[in-house]
Structures are given as structure tokens and as C-alpha cells.
Amino acid sequence: MLFNPIEQIVILGWDFYLPVIAFVIMCALAVPIWASIGVAATMMLLMAGDLPLALLGESLFHGIDAFALTAIPLFILTGDVLVRTGLSRKFLDVAEALTQFAKGGFGSATVLVCGMFAAISGSDAAGAAAVGRMTIDRLVESGYPRPYACALVAAGACTGILIPPSIAYIIVGLILGISASTLFLAAIIPGVSILLAILITNLIVNRIYNYEGGGNLSAREYFSRLCQSLASGWYAFIVPGIIFYGIFSGRLTPTEAGATAVVVTIAIGFIIGTLKLAHFPAMLVSSAKVNGIILPIIAFSLPLAQALAIMGVPQGFVSAATAMTDNPAILILMMIGILIAAGCVMETTPNIVILAPILKPLSDSIGMNEIQFCIMMITALGVGFITPPLGLNLFVVAGISGESILKIAWRAIPFVLCMLIVVLLIAFIPSISTVFLPEIYK
């Protein structure tokens, strides 16, 4: 029995391993990830010989020929406009007013504003950069050590792919043929749970080390300041309000919600005078750069999925895993471990493209709900973004703060543990992901 997993892996042959080795070498040489995936997929198709190479161009086109993908550049552009117009600072003002009653209030406000930014941009790295520039210095002034302040922002920014609407859910929905709107609905409780877990962890750490004081306001002072912040920044919440109401009421598709959000954010920027026509070239170029990284990876996802299917990789992985154990709990833990490790070293999109077609059959073999699998997958990848020492968000906040990555990584450990607890709850309690869904998805 112990030899079966090895036999299942070896049987794939060099037509699988050579492309994988080439992919790893190109990644190590800093070749763009989309090119690495493209070369590996092409090598697999050539060596398998079951799909004419002439069809590769058609496969690439079909990989991005989806109306739902239009939502990605729209949400990215909305995030850029949000920062340019200063609306993100209004979110911070309101979040600070909401949490001023508690000891550690500004730390909690930082996590909340990460969640607010996530509900619009759908990107974790963008949230880490935008929120980090606004809050890290103020967190240090409030009494937090700089490495811990950076770790707090990195953890809060993980909600960028976990709180809907999220680019990650659009992509995994496209790869596995699941409605993005359904995944958005399923992700509400898991996303908010991660946000609350980070908030609670920060409050506990703050109480232990006494980083930040506060929380001495009377009820009258609290509500006075809260009303003042809402009065001066209420219009910033029009954008997330439109997105949430439009998508979850069924009146707007994610793409339509993204387009509406862009138009409304631009209109607000012109009305309040913080946005000028001269700002548009820089915003469009910035959004195009991010979009230019994501879409080529998605384009190569179809030929890669075809190559993996031809070689029987998903079936071989399932056979190898189930040969080691047929215990569903152990198999779930194995999937979570793979996803967190992958999240440490690669961005969300290539991880989804590569791992979703391989791990989905394994989740099916143990009877896991497909919606639950998608939520578990994205949440586990989110944990990888701050898992020391290679989490993507750690590098982002280190870059904008100048702090050592290792120091930030050490301070991020409590947040990794609290997020991991939520991942395990999602993996073993299906109702967390399906409670808001129609009966057909349960």
C-alpha cells in the first residue's frame, strides 16, 4: 500500500516532469509567471501529442473569452481611482471613529479600512500598498513597533481576496465553471470571519504588550466624533454600497457592478475636486500594468488544463493521495498545506490556474461541496500571503516601509495562526460557506 502513491506519481513520465522542471527553472530565473506557465503548457501538449499545436492560439483566445473577466480591470481601476480621489482616506476616518471606543482603536481601524478597501478593489497587494502608506507611520506614532505595524497591515490586506467582490473568486469561478456571484455570496461569512479574527488577535496582542492606549471616551464624545466623520465622508460609501447591493440583490452582474463603481467613483472625484483629467493617464497605466500581469496567466490556463487532463494528472494525484490515506480529514489537511505553501511563493492567479483543476477532483472524491472547496482554497491561499518567510504581502509592506522582511514575518505569526483557525473551520463546517446559498448549492 505504501508504494502505490509513488507508483501513481512515477507513472506520469517525463512528458510531465520535464515541463514541470522547466517551469521551476524559469520561475527561479524570474521569467514572468505567465511565460513560465505558457512554456510548460506548450511542452506538455507537444510531448503528449494528443492536441495539435495549431490549436494553441484558439485555446489562448478561449481562455480569456469570457464576459466575467471584464470585471477584473474594472475593479482594479476602481481601486486606483479610490486612492487618487482620496476616498480611501475617508474610509480610514470613519473606521477610526468607529473603533475609538476601544483600547488599540487605531490598530483596529487599520484592519477595518483594509476590509473596506477589499470590498472595492478585490486585490490584496493593492490594499497592502494603499493602506500601508496611510497607516504604518501613524501606527508607529500610536505606540506600535514598526515591524508589528507592518505585519498588521499585511494581515489586514489579505482580506483583499477574501471579502467579496474579489478578483480571485472571479478567476476560480471561471476555471471551475462556477458563477462568480454565487461565490461572492458564499464568501461573505468566511471573509468577515477572517477580518474579525485579525481584529481580535490585534486586540489581544495590544492588551498583552500595551502598545496603544485609548478607549477613554464618553458615549457622547464617541457618537459626536462618529457623526462628524460620517458627515464629512458619507459619500465614500456610495461606491461599496452600489457594489454590494447590485451584486447581492441580483440587479447587477459583477462586471456591471465594476463598471458602475468606476463611473460613480470618477464622478465623486470630479464633484469634490480631487480628480482631474490630468490624473487619468497615470491611473490607466497603473491599472493596465496590473491587468497585464493577470490576464495572460488566465489565457494560458485553458491549454494548461487541457494538457493536465490529457496526461491524467488530476486523476493520478487523487489516486496517489487516496492510496496514502482514505481519511477525509487528513486529505483536507493535505490540501490546506499545499495551498498555504503555494500561497507563500506565488501570487493568487497562477496558484488558482495550476492547483484548482488538480485539487478539485480530490475534494470531489471525499464529497466536499464545490462551493466550500473554492472558499477553502482562496482562504488558504490568503493565509499564504503572510506566512513567513515568503508571503507576498510581507514583501509589499517591507517595500513601502523599509522594514526587514524577517522582522515583519516574526510579528505576523499570531495572524497566521488566527487565520489558519478560520480556514480549518471553513474546511470542516460546510454551512459557513453555504448558509446564504439556495438549496441547490448545499
Side-chain angles (χ1 to χ4, degrees):
M1 191 72 171
L2 292 174
F3 293 97
N4 285 342
I6 298 175
E7 292 172 2
Q8 290 292 342
I9 294 172
V10 170
I11 201 172
L12 291 172
W14 286 107
D15 54 349
F16 171 75
Y17 289 109
L18 283 178
V20 170
I21 293 170
F23 172 78
V24 173
I25 291 174
M26 286 187 289
C27 288
L29 294 175
V31 175
I33 191 71
W34 65 267
S36 302
I37 292 176
V39 170
T42 304
M43 288 178 64
M44 286 183 185
L45 291 173
L46 281 173
M47 297 175 77
D50 292 331
L51 186 67
L53 192 61
L55 295 180
L56 181 61
E58 183 179 346
S59 296
L60 292 177
F61 174 77
H62 284 299
I64 56 174
D65 184 24
F67 179 69
L69 287 180
T70 312
I72 294 176
L74 292 172
F75 282 122
I76 292 172
L77 180 57
T78 300
D80 282 333
V81 179
L82 197 72
V83 174
R84 180 70 65 174
T85 56
L87 296 184
S88 55
R89 290 196 173 273
K90 296 298 182 182
F91 289 142
L92 180 59
D93 292 341
V94 173
E96 188 176 2
L98 280 170
T99 58
Q100 62 186 322
F101 68 91
K103 187 177 181 180
F106 190 70
S108 299
T110 299
V111 178
L112 278 182
V113 80
C114 285
M116 293 175 184
F117 198 91
I120 297 177
S121 71
S123 170
D124 63 297
V131 177
R133 291 190 181 97
M134 291 190 297
T135 61
I136 288 176
D137 288 339
R138 285 193 59 188
L139 285 166
V140 174
E141 291 171 5
S142 299
Y144 293 95
R146 181 170 287 272
Y148 179 82
C150 294
L152 180 62
V153 172
C158 289
T159 58
I161 65 166
L162 306 179
I163 293 179
S166 162
I167 293 172
Y169 287 122
I170 295 173
I171 296 171
V172 75
L174 180 72
I175 298 296
L176 298 181
I178 302 171
S179 164
S181 296
T182 301
L183 292 175
F184 287 170
L185 196 61
I188 294 175
I189 291 181
V192 172
S193 298
I194 287 286
L195 186 70
L196 291 175
I198 296 170
L199 274 172
I200 293 169
T201 302
N202 175 63
L203 291 174
I204 293 172
V205 172
N206 187 74
R207 181 169 292 275
I208 293 172
Y209 293 102
N210 200 30
Y211 288 146
E212 181 185 2
N216 299 318
L217 292 177
S218 66
R220 183 174 181 178
E221 289 175 318
Y222 171 77
F223 284 108
S224 175
R225 293 185 185 182
L226 179 58
C227 290
Q228 288 175 5
S229 65
L230 288 172
S232 64
W234 62 269
Y235 49 83
F237 291 87
I238 294 176
V239 181
I242 288 174
I243 293 174
F244 273 86
Y245 175 75
I247 292 176
F248 297 127
S249 68
R251 296 180 183 273
L252 298 175
T253 65
T255 301
E256 292 167 344
T260 305
V262 170
V263 173
V264 172
T265 309
I266 290 174
I268 292 174
F270 279 126
I271 291 171
I272 64 177
T274 57
L275 187 64
K276 309 293 182 185
L277 288 176
H279 295 151
F280 276 77
M283 289 192 305
L284 293 173
V285 168
S286 175
S287 298
K289 286 180 178 179
V290 177
N291 197 55
I293 295 172
I294 295 175
L295 286 184
I297 297 173
I298 299 173
F300 280 105
S301 66
L302 183 58
L304 178 64
Q306 291 171 332
L308 293 174
I310 289 171
M311 293 181 173
V313 173
Q315 295 85 345
F317 179 79
V318 172
S319 298
T322 53
M324 288 188 286
T325 178
D326 57 0
N327 188 320
I330 295 177
L331 293 173
I332 288 174
L333 293 175
M334 183 189 302
M335 287 191 285
I336 292 173
I338 291 170
L339 291 166
I340 292 177
C344 285
V345 297
M346 278 199 302
E347 208 269 337
T348 315
T349 303
N351 279 327
I352 293 172
V353 168
I354 296 170
L355 295 176
I358 296 176
L359 295 181
K360 175 65 164 53
L362 180 59
S363 73
D364 291 339
S365 71
I366 60 176
M368 179 179 281
N369 183 293
E370 65 176 5
I371 304 296
Q372 180 191 10
F373 167 75
C374 292
I375 304 301
M376 181 194 73
M377 179 179 189
I378 302 304
T379 310
L381 289 174
V383 176
F385 288 156
I386 59 165
T387 300
L390 299 175
L392 176 63
N393 284 5
L394 301 179
F395 284 89
V396 173
V397 295
I400 63 176
S401 68
E403 191 58 64
S404 163
I405 290 177
L406 290 179
K407 289 182 179 178
I408 299 172
W410 176 254
R411 299 289 188 144
I413 291 175
F415 300 111
V416 173
L417 295 177
C418 80
M419 293 174 68
L420 185 57
I421 291 172
V422 177
V423 173
L424 293 173
L425 291 174
I426 292 169
F428 289 99
I429 305 177
S431 59
I432 293 177
S433 306
T434 61
V435 63
F436 290 141
L437 300 182
E439 196 63 34
I440 188 174
Y441 293 108
K442 298 182 180 180

